[in-house]
Amino acid sequence: MERNAIILAAGKSNRFAPFTYEKPKGLFIVRGEILIERQIEQLIESGVKDIYVVVGYMKEKFFYLEEKYPQVKLLINNTFGSFGNIYSLYVSRQYLKNTFICCADHYFLENPFLDENKDNRSYRACSHIDGKFMEFAVDYSDADIITGCYIGGSDRMAMIGHAYFNEKFSQRFCELLEDEITDFGVAGMFWEEFYSMHIKELTLFLKEFDHDKLLEFEDIDDLRQFDTDFLLNVDSEIIENICNTLKCHPNDIKDIEIIKAGLTNASFKFTLNDVEYVYRHPGGTADSLIDRRTEVYTQNMAKKYDLDKSLIYIDPSGWKISYFIQNIIPCDILGNEKHLQQVIESLHKTHEIPLSEEAKLFDNVAEAKRLINLACATKGNLFKEFKELFDKIDQVDEFVKAEREKYGIELVVSHHDVYEPNFISTSDGDFYLIDWEYSGINDPVNDICSIFTGMNMARM
């Protein structure tokens, strides 16, 4: 009997950030082997000739697999950011026959696909887990037929590792999937959740494996416990940047913790020799929104002018290393007069930073139109749709510029992102103005108006 395999590799695996900022988890090197390649080779060893890998996030990183392995064909799931892995099975449904269902990031110490499965049973690999867990727990009969499936449990059998669908199971599964994929919430499910909705129609057996043979790494610390040299072999520019800047060894880096995943950046905290740091990684949309040359200049000047003492190094490509600011007190511009005074003093210092060719001129209206023009590519002609509004904006802009010239107001270095979260007060008496990404040369009134706008929003 000929069997094939579908490997689900479309997801982002956010729990493995920051390393998934650079490559998908399935391409991590663990104990000297690339995770997905180890699994592909185990499938080939078991006689599987057709392997379909469903990719989405950083899909181009997987393209080499088709050249390296003649047995591999890639399928594209472009909905990975909004849907669950059930949609990857939907994308690959035409290949569901006698099929192993795998995830790219699993690590099997022993090849689990070698079992002959003479009765050709559909099964889900399961292991007994001691203590609490958040995997799919199962109930099952004396005949090892799964009778219940739900998220989370304690001291019981749980779904760990791969699954196998025989052709009859696959046919019925696909019929149900095609009928219901557009129903509310279905596309966002794990495939196990969808199966549990139809558990009486789909006979799936429990197949027990030793828990220490089928590994699903929960996070970076879990992976590092299994492979103590992971950071040495991860092939990460992030780790290289940290080690070169802070003069450390990869294995000295501890306690990695994601603290922000924003529009233009993602940041994580880590510990080195009992000191906490923050690494900022530039996001995928950053190049269209941020002028990094300006940011590098203003961020370095902010450190010089004692506006942001946390900076250690900022690179023109956008990554940055800073000290993690301790003992933070939330800034309260409306309720704390001292904070308001510190905010105004910070803006005075900002506006005293020397002008430089390294800092670009920031024209609010021109910048807004540039970004709206980018949005028009997917949203249609927004300038036409909101023509009346844009005409009013142009009139106000002309008036403001005329008034500035009339009163001789000089352009200054401006922060352009003046709101409470970017002002940090500490119990030690320090005060910081952080996040200089949107800075540039402009009318000082921009920063002042941002404060009043924030105050009015807080009152609403």
PDB file of all heavy atoms in Angstrom, residues 21 258-268 279-287 289-290 292 295 314 317-320 417 435-438:
ATOM      1  N   TYR A  21      11.800  35.444  13.709  1.00  0.00           N
ATOM      2  CA  TYR A  21      11.847  36.666  12.901  1.00  0.00           C
ATOM      3  C   TYR A  21      12.741  36.461  11.685  1.00  0.00           C
ATOM      4  O   TYR A  21      12.603  37.142  10.669  1.00  0.00           O
ATOM      5  CB  TYR A  21      12.421  37.843  13.695  1.00  0.00           C
ATOM      6  CG  TYR A  21      11.672  38.223  14.947  1.00  0.00           C
ATOM      7  CD1 TYR A  21      12.320  38.916  15.967  1.00  0.00           C
ATOM      8  CD2 TYR A  21      10.339  37.889  15.132  1.00  0.00           C
ATOM      9  CE1 TYR A  21      11.652  39.277  17.132  1.00  0.00           C
ATOM     10  CE2 TYR A  21       9.681  38.234  16.285  1.00  0.00           C
ATOM     11  CZ  TYR A  21      10.341  38.930  17.286  1.00  0.00           C
ATOM     12  OH  TYR A  21       9.680  39.281  18.433  1.00  0.00           O
ATOM     13  N   ILE A 258       9.728  37.791  24.875  1.00  0.00           N
ATOM     14  CA  ILE A 258       9.157  38.770  23.964  1.00  0.00           C
ATOM     15  C   ILE A 258       8.392  39.820  24.766  1.00  0.00           C
ATOM     16  O   ILE A 258       7.591  39.486  25.642  1.00  0.00           O
ATOM     17  CB  ILE A 258       8.204  38.097  22.954  1.00  0.00           C
ATOM     18  CG1 ILE A 258       8.947  37.030  22.153  1.00  0.00           C
ATOM     19  CG2 ILE A 258       7.592  39.128  22.011  1.00  0.00           C
ATOM     20  CD1 ILE A 258      10.148  37.533  21.398  1.00  0.00           C
ATOM     21  N   ILE A 259       8.644  41.099  24.456  1.00  0.00           N
ATOM     22  CA  ILE A 259       7.950  42.154  25.194  1.00  0.00           C
ATOM     23  C   ILE A 259       7.134  43.064  24.290  1.00  0.00           C
ATOM     24  O   ILE A 259       6.322  43.841  24.766  1.00  0.00           O
ATOM     25  CB  ILE A 259       8.935  43.017  26.012  1.00  0.00           C
ATOM     26  CG1 ILE A 259      10.025  43.630  25.122  1.00  0.00           C
ATOM     27  CG2 ILE A 259       9.557  42.195  27.121  1.00  0.00           C
ATOM     28  CD1 ILE A 259      10.962  44.567  25.871  1.00  0.00           C
ATOM     29  N   LYS A 260       7.350  42.975  22.963  1.00  0.00           N
ATOM     30  CA  LYS A 260       6.593  43.843  22.067  1.00  0.00           C
ATOM     31  C   LYS A 260       6.659  43.284  20.664  1.00  0.00           C
ATOM     32  O   LYS A 260       7.697  42.864  20.203  1.00  0.00           O
ATOM     33  CB  LYS A 260       7.158  45.274  22.074  1.00  0.00           C
ATOM     34  CG  LYS A 260       6.460  46.226  21.101  1.00  0.00           C
ATOM     35  CD  LYS A 260       7.148  47.579  21.089  1.00  0.00           C
ATOM     36  CE  LYS A 260       6.528  48.512  20.078  1.00  0.00           C
ATOM     37  NZ  LYS A 260       7.255  49.799  19.999  1.00  0.00           N
ATOM     38  N   ALA A 261       5.509  43.275  19.989  1.00  0.00           N
ATOM     39  CA  ALA A 261       5.466  42.917  18.572  1.00  0.00           C
ATOM     40  C   ALA A 261       4.611  43.965  17.878  1.00  0.00           C
ATOM     41  O   ALA A 261       3.394  43.841  17.791  1.00  0.00           O
ATOM     42  CB  ALA A 261       4.897  41.521  18.373  1.00  0.00           C
ATOM     43  N   GLY A 262       5.233  45.033  17.425  1.00  0.00           N
ATOM     44  CA  GLY A 262       4.512  46.172  16.879  1.00  0.00           C
ATOM     45  C   GLY A 262       4.467  46.183  15.367  1.00  0.00           C
ATOM     46  O   GLY A 262       4.853  45.238  14.683  1.00  0.00           O
ATOM     47  N   LEU A 263       3.979  47.299  14.828  1.00  0.00           N
ATOM     48  CA  LEU A 263       3.828  47.447  13.385  1.00  0.00           C
ATOM     49  C   LEU A 263       5.171  47.489  12.690  1.00  0.00           C
ATOM     50  O   LEU A 263       5.361  46.894  11.633  1.00  0.00           O
ATOM     51  CB  LEU A 263       3.034  48.731  13.089  1.00  0.00           C
ATOM     52  CG  LEU A 263       2.758  49.040  11.617  1.00  0.00           C
ATOM     53  CD1 LEU A 263       1.857  47.958  11.018  1.00  0.00           C
ATOM     54  CD2 LEU A 263       2.111  50.413  11.479  1.00  0.00           C
ATOM     55  N   THR A 264       6.133  48.199  13.274  1.00  0.00           N
ATOM     56  CA  THR A 264       7.417  48.392  12.604  1.00  0.00           C
ATOM     57  C   THR A 264       8.558  47.633  13.254  1.00  0.00           C
ATOM     58  O   THR A 264       9.623  47.511  12.655  1.00  0.00           O
ATOM     59  CB  THR A 264       7.777  49.890  12.579  1.00  0.00           C
ATOM     60  OG1 THR A 264       7.794  50.396  13.920  1.00  0.00           O
ATOM     61  CG2 THR A 264       6.773  50.668  11.762  1.00  0.00           C
ATOM     62  N   ASN A 265       8.373  47.122  14.464  1.00  0.00           N
ATOM     63  CA  ASN A 265       9.446  46.430  15.178  1.00  0.00           C
ATOM     64  C   ASN A 265       8.878  45.323  16.046  1.00  0.00           C
ATOM     65  O   ASN A 265       7.693  45.301  16.355  1.00  0.00           O
ATOM     66  CB  ASN A 265      10.192  47.403  16.120  1.00  0.00           C
ATOM     67  CG  ASN A 265      10.876  48.520  15.380  1.00  0.00           C
ATOM     68  OD1 ASN A 265      11.623  48.283  14.446  1.00  0.00           O
ATOM     69  ND2 ASN A 265      10.617  49.737  15.796  1.00  0.00           N
ATOM     70  N   ALA A 266       9.775  44.438  16.447  1.00  0.00           N
ATOM     71  CA  ALA A 266       9.477  43.478  17.514  1.00  0.00           C
ATOM     72  C   ALA A 266      10.652  43.531  18.482  1.00  0.00           C
ATOM     73  O   ALA A 266      11.802  43.695  18.056  1.00  0.00           O
ATOM     74  CB  ALA A 266       9.293  42.077  16.957  1.00  0.00           C
ATOM     75  N   SER A 267      10.377  43.412  19.769  1.00  0.00           N
ATOM     76  CA  SER A 267      11.437  43.539  20.771  1.00  0.00           C
ATOM     77  C   SER A 267      11.369  42.375  21.753  1.00  0.00           C
ATOM     78  O   SER A 267      10.294  41.849  22.034  1.00  0.00           O
ATOM     79  CB  SER A 267      11.301  44.851  21.541  1.00  0.00           C
ATOM     80  OG  SER A 267      11.408  45.961  20.675  1.00  0.00           O
ATOM     81  N   PHE A 268      12.524  42.006  22.261  1.00  0.00           N
ATOM     82  CA  PHE A 268      12.561  40.991  23.298  1.00  0.00           C
ATOM     83  C   PHE A 268      13.594  41.368  24.358  1.00  0.00           C
ATOM     84  O   PHE A 268      14.554  42.088  24.095  1.00  0.00           O
ATOM     85  CB  PHE A 268      12.867  39.604  22.733  1.00  0.00           C
ATOM     86  CG  PHE A 268      14.241  39.450  22.129  1.00  0.00           C
ATOM     87  CD1 PHE A 268      15.310  38.992  22.884  1.00  0.00           C
ATOM     88  CD2 PHE A 268      14.455  39.750  20.803  1.00  0.00           C
ATOM     89  CE1 PHE A 268      16.572  38.840  22.329  1.00  0.00           C
ATOM     90  CE2 PHE A 268      15.714  39.597  20.221  1.00  0.00           C
ATOM     91  CZ  PHE A 268      16.774  39.144  20.989  1.00  0.00           C
ATOM     92  N   TYR A 279      16.525  43.880  22.971  1.00  0.00           N
ATOM     93  CA  TYR A 279      16.937  43.880  21.570  1.00  0.00           C
ATOM     94  C   TYR A 279      15.719  44.205  20.725  1.00  0.00           C
ATOM     95  O   TYR A 279      14.664  43.585  20.880  1.00  0.00           O
ATOM     96  CB  TYR A 279      17.489  42.516  21.160  1.00  0.00           C
ATOM     97  CG  TYR A 279      18.015  42.463  19.729  1.00  0.00           C
ATOM     98  CD1 TYR A 279      19.376  42.582  19.473  1.00  0.00           C
ATOM     99  CD2 TYR A 279      17.158  42.289  18.645  1.00  0.00           C
ATOM    100  CE1 TYR A 279      19.858  42.530  18.172  1.00  0.00           C
ATOM    101  CE2 TYR A 279      17.632  42.245  17.350  1.00  0.00           C
ATOM    102  CZ  TYR A 279      18.987  42.363  17.120  1.00  0.00           C
ATOM    103  OH  TYR A 279      19.472  42.326  15.830  1.00  0.00           O
ATOM    104  N   ARG A 280      15.867  45.176  19.827  1.00  0.00           N
ATOM    105  CA  ARG A 280      14.774  45.528  18.919  1.00  0.00           C
ATOM    106  C   ARG A 280      15.112  45.042  17.519  1.00  0.00           C
ATOM    107  O   ARG A 280      16.175  45.333  16.981  1.00  0.00           O
ATOM    108  CB  ARG A 280      14.563  47.040  18.892  1.00  0.00           C
ATOM    109  CG  ARG A 280      13.324  47.435  18.091  1.00  0.00           C
ATOM    110  CD  ARG A 280      13.293  48.902  17.789  1.00  0.00           C
ATOM    111  NE  ARG A 280      14.284  49.276  16.793  1.00  0.00           N
ATOM    112  CZ  ARG A 280      14.513  50.528  16.385  1.00  0.00           C
ATOM    113  NH1 ARG A 280      13.853  51.509  16.956  1.00  0.00           N
ATOM    114  NH2 ARG A 280      15.404  50.792  15.460  1.00  0.00           N
ATOM    115  N   HIS A 281      14.174  44.308  16.951  1.00  0.00           N
ATOM    116  CA  HIS A 281      14.344  43.768  15.602  1.00  0.00           C
ATOM    117  C   HIS A 281      13.405  44.506  14.659  1.00  0.00           C
ATOM    118  O   HIS A 281      12.212  44.620  14.935  1.00  0.00           O
ATOM    119  CB  HIS A 281      14.026  42.281  15.598  1.00  0.00           C
ATOM    120  CG  HIS A 281      14.264  41.600  14.291  1.00  0.00           C
ATOM    121  ND1 HIS A 281      15.519  41.267  13.859  1.00  0.00           N
ATOM    122  CD2 HIS A 281      13.405  41.205  13.314  1.00  0.00           C
ATOM    123  CE1 HIS A 281      15.436  40.679  12.682  1.00  0.00           C
ATOM    124  NE2 HIS A 281      14.156  40.634  12.330  1.00  0.00           N
ATOM    125  N   PRO A 282      13.894  45.040  13.522  1.00  0.00           N
ATOM    126  CA  PRO A 282      13.012  45.774  12.609  1.00  0.00           C
ATOM    127  C   PRO A 282      11.978  44.870  11.978  1.00  0.00           C
ATOM    128  O   PRO A 282      12.276  43.741  11.581  1.00  0.00           O
ATOM    129  CB  PRO A 282      13.992  46.336  11.564  1.00  0.00           C
ATOM    130  CG  PRO A 282      15.183  45.446  11.629  1.00  0.00           C
ATOM    131  CD  PRO A 282      15.291  44.999  13.051  1.00  0.00           C
ATOM    132  N   GLY A 283      10.753  45.357  11.899  1.00  0.00           N
ATOM    133  CA  GLY A 283       9.664  44.570  11.326  1.00  0.00           C
ATOM    134  C   GLY A 283       9.624  44.637   9.818  1.00  0.00           C
ATOM    135  O   GLY A 283      10.325  45.430   9.178  1.00  0.00           O
ATOM    136  N   GLY A 284       8.756  43.819   9.232  1.00  0.00           N
ATOM    137  CA  GLY A 284       8.685  43.720   7.780  1.00  0.00           C
ATOM    138  C   GLY A 284       8.175  44.960   7.095  1.00  0.00           C
ATOM    139  O   GLY A 284       8.484  45.206   5.922  1.00  0.00           O
ATOM    140  N   THR A 285       7.358  45.776   7.781  1.00  0.00           N
ATOM    141  CA  THR A 285       6.814  46.979   7.160  1.00  0.00           C
ATOM    142  C   THR A 285       7.667  48.218   7.428  1.00  0.00           C
ATOM    143  O   THR A 285       7.335  49.306   6.977  1.00  0.00           O
ATOM    144  CB  THR A 285       5.395  47.258   7.687  1.00  0.00           C
ATOM    145  OG1 THR A 285       5.460  47.461   9.104  1.00  0.00           O
ATOM    146  CG2 THR A 285       4.470  46.097   7.389  1.00  0.00           C
ATOM    147  N   ALA A 286       8.758  48.041   8.150  1.00  0.00           N
ATOM    148  CA  ALA A 286       9.528  49.192   8.623  1.00  0.00           C
ATOM    149  C   ALA A 286      10.096  50.045   7.496  1.00  0.00           C
ATOM    150  O   ALA A 286      10.111  51.279   7.578  1.00  0.00           O
ATOM    151  CB  ALA A 286      10.664  48.718   9.535  1.00  0.00           C
ATOM    152  N   ASP A 287      10.572  49.417   6.439  1.00  0.00           N
ATOM    153  CA  ASP A 287      11.251  50.164   5.380  1.00  0.00           C
ATOM    154  C   ASP A 287      10.343  51.181   4.714  1.00  0.00           C
ATOM    155  O   ASP A 287      10.812  52.217   4.233  1.00  0.00           O
ATOM    156  CB  ASP A 287      11.803  49.196   4.320  1.00  0.00           C
ATOM    157  CG  ASP A 287      12.999  48.406   4.831  1.00  0.00           C
ATOM    158  OD1 ASP A 287      13.562  48.797   5.874  1.00  0.00           O
ATOM    159  OD2 ASP A 287      13.347  47.392   4.196  1.00  0.00           O
ATOM    160  N   LEU A 289       7.923  52.790   6.266  1.00  0.00           N
ATOM    161  CA  LEU A 289       7.427  53.738   7.254  1.00  0.00           C
ATOM    162  C   LEU A 289       8.524  54.551   7.943  1.00  0.00           C
ATOM    163  O   LEU A 289       8.271  55.682   8.365  1.00  0.00           O
ATOM    164  CB  LEU A 289       6.617  52.995   8.330  1.00  0.00           C
ATOM    165  CG  LEU A 289       5.365  52.239   7.867  1.00  0.00           C
ATOM    166  CD1 LEU A 289       4.784  51.444   9.024  1.00  0.00           C
ATOM    167  CD2 LEU A 289       4.343  53.206   7.305  1.00  0.00           C
ATOM    168  N   ILE A 290       9.718  53.979   8.046  1.00  0.00           N
ATOM    169  CA  ILE A 290      10.745  54.563   8.899  1.00  0.00           C
ATOM    170  C   ILE A 290      11.965  54.976   8.081  1.00  0.00           C
ATOM    171  O   ILE A 290      12.433  54.242   7.223  1.00  0.00           O
ATOM    172  CB  ILE A 290      11.198  53.557   9.983  1.00  0.00           C
ATOM    173  CG1 ILE A 290       9.995  53.071  10.794  1.00  0.00           C
ATOM    174  CG2 ILE A 290      12.250  54.173  10.889  1.00  0.00           C
ATOM    175  CD1 ILE A 290       9.240  54.154  11.490  1.00  0.00           C
ATOM    176  N   ARG A 292      15.536  55.182   8.669  1.00  0.00           N
ATOM    177  CA  ARG A 292      16.464  54.701   9.687  1.00  0.00           C
ATOM    178  C   ARG A 292      17.648  55.643   9.866  1.00  0.00           C
ATOM    179  O   ARG A 292      18.199  55.754  10.955  1.00  0.00           O
ATOM    180  CB  ARG A 292      16.949  53.292   9.328  1.00  0.00           C
ATOM    181  CG  ARG A 292      15.862  52.218   9.410  1.00  0.00           C
ATOM    182  CD  ARG A 292      15.308  52.083  10.812  1.00  0.00           C
ATOM    183  NE  ARG A 292      14.364  50.959  10.896  1.00  0.00           N
ATOM    184  CZ  ARG A 292      13.560  50.741  11.915  1.00  0.00           C
ATOM    185  NH1 ARG A 292      13.552  51.576  12.949  1.00  0.00           N
ATOM    186  NH2 ARG A 292      12.743  49.704  11.916  1.00  0.00           N
ATOM    187  N   GLU A 295      16.582  58.194  12.258  1.00  0.00           N
ATOM    188  CA  GLU A 295      16.414  57.622  13.585  1.00  0.00           C
ATOM    189  C   GLU A 295      17.769  57.411  14.272  1.00  0.00           C
ATOM    190  O   GLU A 295      17.913  57.669  15.467  1.00  0.00           O
ATOM    191  CB  GLU A 295      15.663  56.292  13.521  1.00  0.00           C
ATOM    192  CG  GLU A 295      15.341  55.747  14.906  1.00  0.00           C
ATOM    193  CD  GLU A 295      15.001  54.277  14.923  1.00  0.00           C
ATOM    194  OE1 GLU A 295      15.141  53.616  13.880  1.00  0.00           O
ATOM    195  OE2 GLU A 295      14.612  53.782  15.996  1.00  0.00           O
ATOM    196  N   ILE A 314      22.594  51.483  18.167  1.00  0.00           N
ATOM    197  CA  ILE A 314      21.566  51.374  17.143  1.00  0.00           C
ATOM    198  C   ILE A 314      22.255  51.263  15.794  1.00  0.00           C
ATOM    199  O   ILE A 314      23.197  51.998  15.490  1.00  0.00           O
ATOM    200  CB  ILE A 314      20.585  52.575  17.174  1.00  0.00           C
ATOM    201  CG1 ILE A 314      19.515  52.411  16.092  1.00  0.00           C
ATOM    202  CG2 ILE A 314      21.297  53.911  17.044  1.00  0.00           C
ATOM    203  CD1 ILE A 314      18.367  53.397  16.208  1.00  0.00           C
ATOM    204  N   SER A 317      20.602  49.518   9.933  1.00  0.00           N
ATOM    205  CA  SER A 317      19.621  48.580   9.385  1.00  0.00           C
ATOM    206  C   SER A 317      18.364  48.493  10.242  1.00  0.00           C
ATOM    207  O   SER A 317      17.358  47.913   9.816  1.00  0.00           O
ATOM    208  CB  SER A 317      20.237  47.184   9.254  1.00  0.00           C
ATOM    209  OG  SER A 317      20.573  46.651  10.528  1.00  0.00           O
ATOM    210  N   GLY A 318      18.408  49.058  11.458  1.00  0.00           N
ATOM    211  CA  GLY A 318      17.206  49.128  12.289  1.00  0.00           C
ATOM    212  C   GLY A 318      17.255  48.383  13.598  1.00  0.00           C
ATOM    213  O   GLY A 318      16.432  48.634  14.474  1.00  0.00           O
ATOM    214  N   TRP A 319      18.208  47.446  13.766  1.00  0.00           N
ATOM    215  CA  TRP A 319      18.243  46.752  15.061  1.00  0.00           C
ATOM    216  C   TRP A 319      18.924  47.625  16.107  1.00  0.00           C
ATOM    217  O   TRP A 319      19.747  48.466  15.787  1.00  0.00           O
ATOM    218  CB  TRP A 319      18.907  45.382  14.954  1.00  0.00           C
ATOM    219  CG  TRP A 319      20.348  45.337  14.537  1.00  0.00           C
ATOM    220  CD1 TRP A 319      20.842  45.233  13.272  1.00  0.00           C
ATOM    221  CD2 TRP A 319      21.496  45.393  15.403  1.00  0.00           C
ATOM    222  NE1 TRP A 319      22.216  45.221  13.279  1.00  0.00           N
ATOM    223  CE2 TRP A 319      22.649  45.320  14.580  1.00  0.00           C
ATOM    224  CE3 TRP A 319      21.669  45.506  16.784  1.00  0.00           C
ATOM    225  CZ2 TRP A 319      23.947  45.341  15.099  1.00  0.00           C
ATOM    226  CZ3 TRP A 319      22.953  45.525  17.289  1.00  0.00           C
ATOM    227  CH2 TRP A 319      24.070  45.448  16.456  1.00  0.00           C
ATOM    228  N   LYS A 320      18.559  47.376  17.358  1.00  0.00           N
ATOM    229  CA  LYS A 320      19.029  48.242  18.441  1.00  0.00           C
ATOM    230  C   LYS A 320      19.140  47.420  19.718  1.00  0.00           C
ATOM    231  O   LYS A 320      18.332  46.525  19.970  1.00  0.00           O
ATOM    232  CB  LYS A 320      18.034  49.396  18.637  1.00  0.00           C
ATOM    233  CG  LYS A 320      18.401  50.371  19.739  1.00  0.00           C
ATOM    234  CD  LYS A 320      17.432  51.553  19.777  1.00  0.00           C
ATOM    235  CE  LYS A 320      16.079  51.173  20.300  1.00  0.00           C
ATOM    236  NZ  LYS A 320      15.232  52.348  20.601  1.00  0.00           N
ATOM    237  N   ASP A 417       6.263  61.466  17.952  1.00  0.00           N
ATOM    238  CA  ASP A 417       5.477  60.371  18.526  1.00  0.00           C
ATOM    239  C   ASP A 417       5.305  60.630  20.016  1.00  0.00           C
ATOM    240  O   ASP A 417       5.548  59.765  20.858  1.00  0.00           O
ATOM    241  CB  ASP A 417       6.191  59.037  18.281  1.00  0.00           C
ATOM    242  CG  ASP A 417       5.249  57.841  18.415  1.00  0.00           C
ATOM    243  OD1 ASP A 417       4.026  58.059  18.493  1.00  0.00           O
ATOM    244  OD2 ASP A 417       5.737  56.702  18.432  1.00  0.00           O
ATOM    245  N   ASP A 435      11.718  55.712  21.739  1.00  0.00           N
ATOM    246  CA  ASP A 435      11.105  55.460  20.434  1.00  0.00           C
ATOM    247  C   ASP A 435      11.214  56.661  19.500  1.00  0.00           C
ATOM    248  O   ASP A 435      10.254  57.412  19.313  1.00  0.00           O
ATOM    249  CB  ASP A 435       9.633  55.047  20.599  1.00  0.00           C
ATOM    250  CG  ASP A 435       9.499  53.635  21.129  1.00  0.00           C
ATOM    251  OD1 ASP A 435      10.525  52.944  21.257  1.00  0.00           O
ATOM    252  OD2 ASP A 435       8.364  53.215  21.404  1.00  0.00           O
ATOM    253  N   TRP A 436      12.362  56.772  18.850  1.00  0.00           N
ATOM    254  CA  TRP A 436      12.655  57.905  17.985  1.00  0.00           C
ATOM    255  C   TRP A 436      12.479  57.577  16.500  1.00  0.00           C
ATOM    256  O   TRP A 436      13.019  58.271  15.632  1.00  0.00           O
ATOM    257  CB  TRP A 436      14.083  58.386  18.263  1.00  0.00           C
ATOM    258  CG  TRP A 436      14.210  59.003  19.624  1.00  0.00           C
ATOM    259  CD1 TRP A 436      14.302  58.365  20.814  1.00  0.00           C
ATOM    260  CD2 TRP A 436      14.204  60.398  19.932  1.00  0.00           C
ATOM    261  NE1 TRP A 436      14.360  59.261  21.858  1.00  0.00           N
ATOM    262  CE2 TRP A 436      14.306  60.520  21.342  1.00  0.00           C
ATOM    263  CE3 TRP A 436      14.135  61.554  19.170  1.00  0.00           C
ATOM    264  CZ2 TRP A 436      14.342  61.753  21.999  1.00  0.00           C
ATOM    265  CZ3 TRP A 436      14.167  62.790  19.815  1.00  0.00           C
ATOM    266  CH2 TRP A 436      14.264  62.881  21.207  1.00  0.00           C
ATOM    267  N   GLU A 437      11.698  56.573  16.203  1.00  0.00           N
ATOM    268  CA  GLU A 437      11.557  56.114  14.823  1.00  0.00           C
ATOM    269  C   GLU A 437      10.964  57.167  13.886  1.00  0.00           C
ATOM    270  O   GLU A 437      11.331  57.241  12.719  1.00  0.00           O
ATOM    271  CB  GLU A 437      10.667  54.877  14.775  1.00  0.00           C
ATOM    272  CG  GLU A 437      11.312  53.636  15.333  1.00  0.00           C
ATOM    273  CD  GLU A 437      10.397  52.455  15.192  1.00  0.00           C
ATOM    274  OE1 GLU A 437       9.366  52.400  15.876  1.00  0.00           O
ATOM    275  OE2 GLU A 437      10.724  51.583  14.376  1.00  0.00           O
ATOM    276  N   TYR A 438      10.018  57.932  14.380  1.00  0.00           N
ATOM    277  CA  TYR A 438       9.307  58.867  13.495  1.00  0.00           C
ATOM    278  C   TYR A 438       9.872  60.284  13.563  1.00  0.00           C
ATOM    279  O   TYR A 438       9.260  61.228  13.067  1.00  0.00           O
ATOM    280  CB  TYR A 438       7.815  58.882  13.856  1.00  0.00           C
ATOM    281  CG  TYR A 438       7.150  57.551  13.657  1.00  0.00           C
ATOM    282  CD1 TYR A 438       6.886  56.719  14.743  1.00  0.00           C
ATOM    283  CD2 TYR A 438       6.816  57.098  12.380  1.00  0.00           C
ATOM    284  CE1 TYR A 438       6.292  55.476  14.563  1.00  0.00           C
ATOM    285  CE2 TYR A 438       6.223  55.868  12.189  1.00  0.00           C
ATOM    286  CZ  TYR A 438       5.961  55.061  13.284  1.00  0.00           C
ATOM    287  OH  TYR A 438       5.379  53.832  13.115  1.00  0.00           O
TER     288      TYR A 438
END
